[in-house]
Each structure stands twice: as C-alpha cells, then as structure tokens.
Amino acid sequence: MSRPILTIVVPCYNEEEVLPETAKQLSGLLASLLEDSLISEDSKILFVDDGSKDRTWSLIEQEMENRPFSKGLKLAKNVGHQNALLAGLEIANQQSDCVVSIDADLQDDWNVIRTFVEKYKAGFDVVYGVRDKRDTDTVFKRSTALGFYRFMNRIGINLIPNHADFRLMSKRALDELFKYKEANLFLRGLIPLVGFPSTKVYYDRKERLAGESKYPLKKMIAFAFDGITSFSVTPIRFVTLLGFLSVVISAIAGGYAIFQQIVGHTESGWTSIIISIWFVGGLQLLGIGIIGEYIGKIYREVKQRPRYAIEVDAFSNKNQGKQSLGVLLKSVGK
C-alpha cells in the first residue's frame, strides 16, 4: 500500500491551556511518520473548535500560520463532543485515506497512532485504541465504567470495552458511517455496526496535561443514558416487566385481603395502603419518564435539523505544495 493521506481530527472545547502542547506533540508525531515514509506529505491535523468561549480558536489560527499542515474548523456554536467529532470526520474524509480521532487533552497515547497506521496498511479499516488498564481512574469511575460496559453488553449493544473515541477509520469505513443519519449520536455504538475488518491497539492512558475534564459525573451519566436509549428498547421492556410484577403483587395482596375478610380479620392497614399507592405511583412515573425519553428522541429525529453549522472551514482550502509541507513536517520540534 502506498503512503496514505492521514488526517488527525482533534475536537476542542475551551482547550487554551493544553492546545499549544497538543499541537506540538501531534506535529512531532506527523513529522516522524513522514520521515519513516508511513504517511503522505498531504497529511494534516484538523482542530475542531466546538464553540469555545476562551482563546482556543485564536490559538488554532496561530497554529495554522506557523504550520500550514495544521488546519482549523470553527463551528458556529457548541454542539457537543460527538457532533463536533462527526463534523471533523466528515470534513477530513474529503481529502484523506484514513482519519484518526483523538481528544485535545492527549490522555490517549498519541504514540500508538504509528501502530494505527501500520494496522491500516495491513488491511484493517477500523483500529480501536483500547485502554490496557484504568489505574488513573478513581475506584468509583472504574467500577461504574465496568458496570456500564457489562450492562450494554447484556442488553445487546456491541461496544468495545475501555474504548472511547480514540481510533483510526479508513475512508470507506467513514463513508459507511455517514449513512447513519440519526440526530442522537453515540459513535461508540455506531462504529461497530459499520463492519469491515477491525482490530484493537492497547495503550496506557495518561494524566490530563492541563485544564479540566469536559466529562464530569453529570455529563457521563447523561452520555451513558443517551447511549442506552439510542440503541435499545430494553428500558421500556423493563418498565413493562415492572408493571407486570406490580399486577402480580397486587393480585396476591388482593387475594390475601379477601382471605382475611373470610376469616373475619377485616382491620385495614393505613401503612400498607400508602406504601401500595406510592409503589404503583412511582412505577407509573418511572414508566412515563422512560417513554417520554424515547418520544423526545423521536421528536429530534423527525425534525431532521442539521447536527452542526460551520462558521470557518480552513481545511478544504488547498494553498500549499507538497514540498513545503514536507520540509515543515521534518523541521517540527527541532
């Protein structure tokens, strides 16, 4: 296989503290890959600004001036990590043979991108970056993550355990991914549906270079619930099961009440009545809430609104030659 055109897509949201170091590390990586003839001189880095409120975009513009192989994509407003990532993938795929996605905090080991490219050249269309261990996480985060993957597996959603959004995808795999038009994006669940030959590359996750995590507990829970409801109707079936069990319990309680009346024990219990009302009422509210979640997703899907709007696209413009790019790449980091 000839040297592929590689684009590294980096979604960014308020990353001014970490972006200069991220650009430096990834530029050095591109230079190394080019020097070893693993990638084409047309390879690039695409930074996607997801409506940042700090100096992220101005830093991306500086990066574009200093290194022409660095490109920027500015979204008109914040649309969330998954939509921003998809925007970068769609734009990058226009001029690339393969695309790697990685978060700006560089907690994922960018050095294994070399292995990603080697796996791609060996014939794999999707290469998943998988954490070898989770020692840097708290006990709570490790246990909840493990429980999440087990639960998703149990309800029939095929996820790659300990894999986030650090991966390589070939052009044909991305073309297939873009046929999925749902507004409720959960890329970790969609990409395994694409098919094509895939493999895993294991790595050790690092500490965040600077700044704060963009996925606090609240967002992690919302993200997990969104993934579950986007791919499975199991929660609704669970509510149906609860309703059936409630009917069975109520029938047993009714039979017991009739028996008590027959034998002459007709004293009524206030506590049992209140508990029963609360129990059934709670089940009803739970059921309405879960059904409402699905209806809300249907509502979003049928409107077919755009998932993102691009304010500045500095990737699609070809304004440099291969030779100058090659010289720049080789001189990065010196």
Side-chain angles (χ1 to χ4, degrees):
M1 181 182 292
S2 60
R3 296 187 299 171
I5 300 174
L6 168 70
T7 299
I8 302 177
V9 174
V10 188
C12 305
Y13 178 67
N14 294 342
E15 298 288 2
E16 66 176 0
E17 295 182 52
V18 73
L19 193 59
E21 184 63 23
T22 299
K24 176 183 176 182
Q25 297 291 350
L26 293 179
S27 298
L29 171 69
L30 273 191
S32 175
L33 294 175
L34 179 63
E35 190 172 348
D36 294 340
S37 299
L38 288 175
I39 60 174
S40 166
E41 292 182 345
D42 287 332
S43 299
K44 300 178 181 69
I45 303 171
L46 174 60
F47 296 98
V48 182
D49 179 21
D50 184 22
S52 298
K53 299 176 181 178
D54 61 2
R55 296 175 54 250
T56 294
W57 179 247
S58 63
L59 290 174
I60 292 174
E61 289 181 315
Q62 290 178 21
E63 181 65 21
M64 287 190 287
E65 291 178 2
N66 296 333
R67 302 184 178 103
F69 57 84
S70 291
K71 299 297 181 180
L73 184 70
K74 181 176 175 57
L75 303 185
K77 66 173 185 176
N78 179 257
V79 293
H81 179 269
Q82 296 290 279
N83 285 311
L85 176 55
L86 185 71
L89 294 177
E90 289 183 333
I91 295 298
N93 192 48
Q94 298 172 9
Q95 300 179 23
S96 308
D97 297 314
C98 56
V99 178
V100 168
S101 58
I102 186 171
D103 289 340
D105 57 21
L106 289 191
Q107 285 188 274
D108 300 315
D109 187 1
W110 66 93
N111 292 303
V112 301
I113 292 178
R114 173 181 292 271
T115 309
F116 284 7
V117 175
E118 291 171 349
K119 294 291 185 182
Y120 167 76
K121 293 169 74 73
F124 292 100
D125 288 277
V126 183
V127 184
Y128 298 103
V130 180
R131 296 175 62 174
D132 195 26
K133 50 189 176 182
R134 305 185 70 105
D135 293 347
T136 57
D137 290 343
T138 63
V139 175
F140 174 77
K141 190 170 182 179
R142 284 200 303 268
S143 57
T144 53
L146 181 61
F148 171 71
Y149 287 118
R150 285 179 176 174
F151 177 75
M152 296 291 271
N153 222 11
R154 185 69 61 88
I155 64 177
I157 302 175
N158 182 27
L159 294 184
I160 307 298
N162 296 322
H163 164 71
D165 289 302
F166 182 36
R167 66 180 76 88
L168 176 147
M169 297 186 71
S170 68
K171 184 175 182 61
R172 70 168 182 168
L174 285 169
D175 288 340
E176 193 67 28
L177 173 66
F178 300 149
K179 294 178 182 179
Y180 293 81
K181 300 299 183 181
E182 54 249 54
N184 302 284
L185 273 181
F186 187 65
L187 292 175
R188 301 179 198 183
L190 280 178
I191 290 172
L193 297 179
V194 169
F196 297 119
S198 64
T199 188
K200 303 173 185 175
V201 173
Y202 292 89
Y203 67 95
D204 292 330
R205 192 170 171 85
K206 303 177 181 180
E207 294 289 343
R208 183 179 175 87
L209 292 177
E212 298 179 353
S213 172
K214 302 305 183 292
Y215 269 94
L217 179 61
K218 182 180 178 181
K219 281 193 175 182
M220 287 175 59
I221 293 174
F223 183 68
F225 189 69
D226 195 47
I228 293 169
T229 53
S230 294
F231 280 83
S232 175
V233 296
T234 299
I236 290 182
R237 292 175 179 170
F238 179 69
V239 172
T240 303
L241 176 62
L242 284 179
F244 175 76
L245 291 176
S246 178
V247 171
V248 171
I249 293 172
S250 300
I252 294 174
Y256 176 74
I258 294 174
F259 174 76
Q260 290 287 72
Q261 185 172 5
I262 292 175
V263 299
H265 299 142
T266 57
E267 295 181 4
S268 59
W270 180 86
T271 303
S272 60
I273 292 175
I274 294 299
I275 291 176
S276 298
I277 293 173
W278 285 0
F279 178 69
V280 175
L283 286 180
Q284 290 175 336
L285 290 175
L286 177 64
I288 291 171
I290 293 179
I291 293 171
E293 178 71 20
Y294 281 92
I295 293 175
K297 288 186 179 297
I298 295 172
Y299 178 66
R300 289 184 61 193
E301 294 290 348
V302 298
K303 287 187 295 185
Q304 296 185 340
R305 289 178 177 174
R307 288 179 286 203
Y308 57 85
I310 297 175
E311 182 176 339
V312 180
D313 178 8
F315 180 86
S316 302
N317 299 325
K318 293 183 178 180
N319 54 12
Q320 61 184 44
K322 293 183 181 180
Q323 184 177 2
S324 61
L325 176 59
V327 172
L328 282 167
L329 278 173
K330 290 177 182 178
S331 64
V332 165
K334 293 185 179 181

mmCIF file of all heavy atoms in Angstrom, residues 119-146:
data_model
loop_
_atom_site.group_PDB
_atom_site.id
_atom_site.type_symbol
_atom_site.label_atom_id
_atom_site.label_comp_id
_atom_site.label_asym_id
_atom_site.label_seq_id
_atom_site.Cartn_x
_atom_site.Cartn_y
_atom_site.Cartn_z
ATOM 1 N N LYS A 119 -1.401 -0.839 11.237
ATOM 2 C CA LYS A 119 -2.546 -1.756 11.160
ATOM 3 C C LYS A 119 -3.405 -1.439 9.937
ATOM 4 O O LYS A 119 -3.912 -2.344 9.259
ATOM 5 C CB LYS A 119 -3.388 -1.661 12.432
ATOM 6 C CG LYS A 119 -2.691 -2.154 13.700
ATOM 7 C CD LYS A 119 -2.483 -3.645 13.688
ATOM 8 C CE LYS A 119 -1.910 -4.136 15.008
ATOM 9 N NZ LYS A 119 -1.658 -5.598 15.008
ATOM 10 N N TYR A 120 -3.572 -0.151 9.656
ATOM 11 C CA TYR A 120 -4.325 0.255 8.468
ATOM 12 C C TYR A 120 -3.651 -0.255 7.199
ATOM 13 O O TYR A 120 -4.310 -0.796 6.298
ATOM 14 C CB TYR A 120 -4.457 1.777 8.432
ATOM 15 C CG TYR A 120 -4.930 2.316 7.101
ATOM 16 C CD1 TYR A 120 -6.269 2.220 6.725
ATOM 17 C CD2 TYR A 120 -4.025 2.913 6.215
ATOM 18 C CE1 TYR A 120 -6.693 2.698 5.492
ATOM 19 C CE2 TYR A 120 -4.446 3.399 4.987
ATOM 20 C CZ TYR A 120 -5.779 3.292 4.628
ATOM 21 O OH TYR A 120 -6.198 3.758 3.408
ATOM 22 N N LYS A 121 -2.346 -0.102 7.126
ATOM 23 C CA LYS A 121 -1.605 -0.570 5.958
ATOM 24 C C LYS A 121 -1.638 -2.092 5.842
ATOM 25 O O LYS A 121 -1.442 -2.647 4.758
ATOM 26 C CB LYS A 121 -0.158 -0.064 6.021
ATOM 27 C CG LYS A 121 -0.038 1.453 5.863
ATOM 28 C CD LYS A 121 1.346 1.962 6.188
ATOM 29 C CE LYS A 121 2.351 1.639 5.105
ATOM 30 N NZ LYS A 121 2.170 2.461 3.901
ATOM 31 N N ALA A 122 -1.903 -2.763 6.983
ATOM 32 C CA ALA A 122 -2.014 -4.218 6.973
ATOM 33 C C ALA A 122 -3.400 -4.691 6.537
ATOM 34 O O ALA A 122 -3.628 -5.899 6.404
ATOM 35 C CB ALA A 122 -1.695 -4.784 8.359
ATOM 36 N N GLY A 123 -4.327 -3.743 6.337
ATOM 37 C CA GLY A 123 -5.633 -4.116 5.796
ATOM 38 C C GLY A 123 -6.825 -3.887 6.702
ATOM 39 O O GLY A 123 -7.949 -4.242 6.340
ATOM 40 N N PHE A 124 -6.630 -3.266 7.864
ATOM 41 C CA PHE A 124 -7.742 -3.023 8.780
ATOM 42 C C PHE A 124 -8.369 -1.650 8.506
ATOM 43 O O PHE A 124 -7.657 -0.649 8.372
ATOM 44 C CB PHE A 124 -7.270 -3.099 10.235
ATOM 45 C CG PHE A 124 -6.866 -4.491 10.657
ATOM 46 C CD1 PHE A 124 -5.524 -4.856 10.700
ATOM 47 C CD2 PHE A 124 -7.826 -5.430 10.992
ATOM 48 C CE1 PHE A 124 -5.146 -6.132 11.079
ATOM 49 C CE2 PHE A 124 -7.464 -6.712 11.373
ATOM 50 C CZ PHE A 124 -6.121 -7.075 11.417
ATOM 51 N N ASP A 125 -9.693 -1.624 8.443
ATOM 52 C CA ASP A 125 -10.415 -0.376 8.183
ATOM 53 C C ASP A 125 -10.720 0.409 9.454
ATOM 54 O O ASP A 125 -10.886 1.624 9.397
ATOM 55 C CB ASP A 125 -11.729 -0.674 7.458
ATOM 56 C CG ASP A 125 -11.512 -1.104 6.026
ATOM 57 O OD1 ASP A 125 -11.348 -0.230 5.165
ATOM 58 O OD2 ASP A 125 -11.491 -2.325 5.771
ATOM 59 N N VAL A 126 -10.835 -0.282 10.570
ATOM 60 C CA VAL A 126 -11.089 0.376 11.852
ATOM 61 C C VAL A 126 -10.084 -0.149 12.865
ATOM 62 O O VAL A 126 -9.948 -1.363 13.045
ATOM 63 C CB VAL A 126 -12.520 0.106 12.364
ATOM 64 C CG1 VAL A 126 -12.771 0.873 13.668
ATOM 65 C CG2 VAL A 126 -13.553 0.506 11.312
ATOM 66 N N VAL A 127 -9.382 0.776 13.514
ATOM 67 C CA VAL A 127 -8.413 0.400 14.550
ATOM 68 C C VAL A 127 -8.830 1.113 15.831
ATOM 69 O O VAL A 127 -8.809 2.345 15.900
ATOM 70 C CB VAL A 127 -6.975 0.794 14.164
ATOM 71 C CG1 VAL A 127 -5.991 0.293 15.232
ATOM 72 C CG2 VAL A 127 -6.606 0.225 12.794
ATOM 73 N N TYR A 128 -9.221 0.335 16.830
ATOM 74 C CA TYR A 128 -9.683 0.897 18.097
ATOM 75 C C TYR A 128 -8.524 1.053 19.080
ATOM 76 O O TYR A 128 -7.751 0.114 19.288
ATOM 77 C CB TYR A 128 -10.730 -0.015 18.743
ATOM 78 C CG TYR A 128 -11.992 -0.205 17.936
ATOM 79 C CD1 TYR A 128 -12.210 -1.381 17.206
ATOM 80 C CD2 TYR A 128 -12.982 0.769 17.914
ATOM 81 C CE1 TYR A 128 -13.371 -1.564 16.479
ATOM 82 C CE2 TYR A 128 -14.149 0.597 17.184
ATOM 83 C CZ TYR A 128 -14.334 -0.573 16.466
ATOM 84 O OH TYR A 128 -15.497 -0.757 15.747
ATOM 85 N N GLY A 129 -8.419 2.223 19.671
ATOM 86 C CA GLY A 129 -7.483 2.407 20.770
ATOM 87 C C GLY A 129 -8.168 2.007 22.068
ATOM 88 O O GLY A 129 -9.194 2.585 22.440
ATOM 89 N N VAL A 130 -7.635 1.014 22.751
ATOM 90 C CA VAL A 130 -8.267 0.453 23.954
ATOM 91 C C VAL A 130 -7.332 0.616 25.145
ATOM 92 O O VAL A 130 -6.147 0.261 25.063
ATOM 93 C CB VAL A 130 -8.617 -1.035 23.757
ATOM 94 C CG1 VAL A 130 -9.267 -1.611 25.017
ATOM 95 C CG2 VAL A 130 -9.541 -1.209 22.558
ATOM 96 N N ARG A 131 -7.873 1.134 26.220
ATOM 97 C CA ARG A 131 -7.070 1.301 27.439
ATOM 98 C C ARG A 131 -6.708 -0.057 28.006
ATOM 99 O O ARG A 131 -7.563 -0.920 28.218
ATOM 100 C CB ARG A 131 -7.844 2.111 28.470
ATOM 101 C CG ARG A 131 -8.131 3.523 28.025
ATOM 102 C CD ARG A 131 -8.994 4.282 28.999
ATOM 103 N NE ARG A 131 -8.355 4.416 30.307
ATOM 104 C CZ ARG A 131 -8.853 5.145 31.296
ATOM 105 N NH1 ARG A 131 -10.002 5.774 31.144
ATOM 106 N NH2 ARG A 131 -8.209 5.237 32.435
ATOM 107 N N ASP A 132 -5.423 -0.244 28.280
ATOM 108 C CA ASP A 132 -4.951 -1.512 28.826
ATOM 109 C C ASP A 132 -5.340 -1.663 30.290
ATOM 110 O O ASP A 132 -5.601 -2.759 30.767
ATOM 111 C CB ASP A 132 -3.427 -1.603 28.662
ATOM 112 C CG ASP A 132 -2.920 -3.018 28.863
ATOM 113 O OD1 ASP A 132 -3.689 -3.972 28.637
ATOM 114 O OD2 ASP A 132 -1.759 -3.174 29.271
ATOM 115 N N LYS A 133 -5.374 -0.561 31.016
ATOM 116 C CA LYS A 133 -5.780 -0.567 32.421
ATOM 117 C C LYS A 133 -6.304 0.809 32.784
ATOM 118 O O LYS A 133 -6.091 1.785 32.063
ATOM 119 C CB LYS A 133 -4.613 -0.940 33.328
ATOM 120 C CG LYS A 133 -3.336 -0.153 33.073
ATOM 121 C CD LYS A 133 -2.171 -0.728 33.848
ATOM 122 C CE LYS A 133 -0.883 0.009 33.508
ATOM 123 N NZ LYS A 133 0.285 -0.554 34.220
ATOM 124 N N ARG A 134 -7.011 0.897 33.931
ATOM 125 C CA ARG A 134 -7.640 2.153 34.338
ATOM 126 C C ARG A 134 -7.099 2.609 35.696
ATOM 127 O O ARG A 134 -7.850 3.046 36.566
ATOM 128 C CB ARG A 134 -9.162 1.980 34.394
ATOM 129 C CG ARG A 134 -9.789 1.459 33.110
ATOM 130 C CD ARG A 134 -11.300 1.435 33.214
ATOM 131 N NE ARG A 134 -11.848 2.775 33.236
ATOM 132 C CZ ARG A 134 -12.473 3.355 32.210
ATOM 133 N NH1 ARG A 134 -12.595 2.722 31.067
ATOM 134 N NH2 ARG A 134 -12.959 4.577 32.332
ATOM 135 N N ASP A 135 -5.798 2.492 35.889
ATOM 136 C CA ASP A 135 -5.189 2.838 37.175
ATOM 137 C C ASP A 135 -5.317 4.321 37.502
ATOM 138 O O ASP A 135 -5.294 4.702 38.673
ATOM 139 C CB ASP A 135 -3.702 2.436 37.183
ATOM 140 C CG ASP A 135 -3.532 0.926 37.149
ATOM 141 O OD1 ASP A 135 -4.534 0.219 37.369
ATOM 142 O OD2 ASP A 135 -2.407 0.462 36.889
ATOM 143 N N THR A 136 -5.426 5.166 36.470
ATOM 144 C CA THR A 136 -5.501 6.605 36.721
ATOM 145 C C THR A 136 -6.903 7.038 37.145
ATOM 146 O O THR A 136 -7.094 8.178 37.577
ATOM 147 C CB THR A 136 -5.100 7.388 35.455
ATOM 148 O OG1 THR A 136 -5.951 6.990 34.367
ATOM 149 C CG2 THR A 136 -3.651 7.100 35.083
ATOM 150 N N ASP A 137 -7.887 6.148 37.040
ATOM 151 C CA ASP A 137 -9.260 6.477 37.421
ATOM 152 C C ASP A 137 -9.496 6.176 38.899
ATOM 153 O O ASP A 137 -8.800 5.357 39.511
ATOM 154 C CB ASP A 137 -10.260 5.659 36.597
ATOM 155 C CG ASP A 137 -10.305 6.097 35.144
ATOM 156 O OD1 ASP A 137 -9.824 7.208 34.856
ATOM 157 O OD2 ASP A 137 -10.814 5.330 34.320
ATOM 158 N N THR A 138 -10.500 6.824 39.467
ATOM 159 C CA THR A 138 -10.910 6.516 40.833
ATOM 160 C C THR A 138 -11.610 5.165 40.860
ATOM 161 O O THR A 138 -12.040 4.645 39.820
ATOM 162 C CB THR A 138 -11.861 7.597 41.359
ATOM 163 O OG1 THR A 138 -13.053 7.598 40.551
ATOM 164 C CG2 THR A 138 -11.205 8.977 41.300
ATOM 165 N N VAL A 139 -11.742 4.599 42.059
ATOM 166 C CA VAL A 139 -12.425 3.314 42.199
ATOM 167 C C VAL A 139 -13.863 3.426 41.710
ATOM 168 O O VAL A 139 -14.389 2.531 41.032
ATOM 169 C CB VAL A 139 -12.393 2.851 43.673
ATOM 170 C CG1 VAL A 139 -13.216 1.579 43.852
ATOM 171 C CG2 VAL A 139 -10.959 2.630 44.130
ATOM 172 N N PHE A 140 -14.504 4.551 42.026
ATOM 173 C CA PHE A 140 -15.893 4.748 41.598
ATOM 174 C C PHE A 140 -16.004 4.756 40.080
ATOM 175 O O PHE A 140 -16.884 4.101 39.508
ATOM 176 C CB PHE A 140 -16.418 6.077 42.169
ATOM 177 C CG PHE A 140 -17.785 6.450 41.662
ATOM 178 C CD1 PHE A 140 -18.920 5.831 42.166
ATOM 179 C CD2 PHE A 140 -17.933 7.422 40.679
ATOM 180 C CE1 PHE A 140 -20.193 6.176 41.702
ATOM 181 C CE2 PHE A 140 -19.200 7.765 40.207
ATOM 182 C CZ PHE A 140 -20.325 7.136 40.726
ATOM 183 N N LYS A 141 -15.095 5.485 39.414
ATOM 184 C CA LYS A 141 -15.162 5.578 37.958
ATOM 185 C C LYS A 141 -14.858 4.237 37.305
ATOM 186 O O LYS A 141 -15.490 3.859 36.313
ATOM 187 C CB LYS A 141 -14.181 6.646 37.460
ATOM 188 C CG LYS A 141 -14.363 6.979 35.979
ATOM 189 C CD LYS A 141 -13.554 8.187 35.582
ATOM 190 C CE LYS A 141 -13.793 8.537 34.115
ATOM 191 N NZ LYS A 141 -13.040 9.739 33.697
ATOM 192 N N ARG A 142 -13.890 3.505 37.859
ATOM 193 C CA ARG A 142 -13.564 2.186 37.307
ATOM 194 C C ARG A 142 -14.754 1.244 37.411
ATOM 195 O O ARG A 142 -15.091 0.535 36.468
ATOM 196 C CB ARG A 142 -12.351 1.585 38.026
ATOM 197 C CG ARG A 142 -11.016 2.180 37.621
ATOM 198 C CD ARG A 142 -9.867 1.249 37.985
ATOM 199 N NE ARG A 142 -9.848 0.941 39.406
ATOM 200 C CZ ARG A 142 -9.176 1.623 40.314
ATOM 201 N NH1 ARG A 142 -8.474 2.687 39.934
ATOM 202 N NH2 ARG A 142 -9.172 1.273 41.580
ATOM 203 N N SER A 143 -15.377 1.208 38.589
ATOM 204 C CA SER A 143 -16.483 0.275 38.817
ATOM 205 C C SER A 143 -17.711 0.642 37.979
ATOM 206 O O SER A 143 -18.373 -0.242 37.426
ATOM 207 C CB SER A 143 -16.847 0.232 40.303
ATOM 208 O OG SER A 143 -17.179 1.524 40.781
ATOM 209 N N THR A 144 -18.005 1.945 37.882
ATOM 210 C CA THR A 144 -19.160 2.347 37.082
ATOM 211 C C THR A 144 -18.922 2.103 35.597
ATOM 212 O O THR A 144 -19.851 1.717 34.867
ATOM 213 C CB THR A 144 -19.494 3.838 37.320
ATOM 214 O OG1 THR A 144 -18.313 4.630 37.106
ATOM 215 C CG2 THR A 144 -20.009 4.052 38.728
ATOM 216 N N ALA A 145 -17.694 2.323 35.134
ATOM 217 C CA ALA A 145 -17.378 2.069 33.726
ATOM 218 C C ALA A 145 -17.518 0.589 33.405
ATOM 219 O O ALA A 145 -18.097 0.206 32.378
ATOM 220 C CB ALA A 145 -15.965 2.549 33.407
ATOM 221 N N LEU A 146 -17.010 -0.258 34.294
ATOM 222 C CA LEU A 146 -17.114 -1.707 34.085
ATOM 223 C C LEU A 146 -18.581 -2.128 34.074
ATOM 224 O O LEU A 146 -19.006 -2.930 33.235
ATOM 225 C CB LEU A 146 -16.352 -2.443 35.188
ATOM 226 C CG LEU A 146 -16.346 -3.974 35.109
ATOM 227 C CD1 LEU A 146 -15.690 -4.444 33.818
ATOM 228 C CD2 LEU A 146 -15.623 -4.571 36.312
#
